[in-house]
Amino acid sequence: PNPEKVLVIGGGDGGTIREVLKHPSVKLAVLCEIDGMVVEACRKWIPQTASALSDSRVRVCIEDGVKFLKD
């Protein structure tokens, strides 16, 4: 009911992160996206969605989600 840490695998457009950050209890939201170009294109072309990726509570990792979970 009060998530503090959230992991999103995929979703480089930032929409899921935007919705996650609506929960005031979230202290850290990690986005793991395999393709950094997706994140950059979304920041440029759909900033109304991707702007959430600049929130201080967000950490963006560009790597394979399965590898991220293993590490």
Side-chain angles (χ1 to χ4, degrees):
N2 296 307
E4 292 185 8
K5 296 179 183 177
V6 177
L7 170 63
V8 176
I9 298 177
D13 66 343
T16 302
I17 290 291
R18 179 189 63 205
E19 297 303 307
V20 164
L21 295 178
K22 289 181 180 179
H23 296 272
S25 61
V26 172
K27 296 178 181 175
L28 174 65
V30 177
L31 170 68
C32 186
E33 171 62 54
I34 198 166
D35 188 347
M37 290 181 68
V38 170
V39 175
E40 292 309 312
C42 292
R43 286 181 196 237
K44 180 176 181 178
W45 298 105
I46 51 171
Q48 66 276 17
T49 303
S51 64
L53 298 176
S54 298
D55 188 286
S56 63
R57 298 171 288 169
V58 176
R59 185 173 138 220
V60 178
C61 297
I62 306 300
E63 67 178 278
D64 181 85
V66 173
K67 181 182 180 307
F68 182 86
L69 286 174
K70 285 181 181 178
D71 293 342

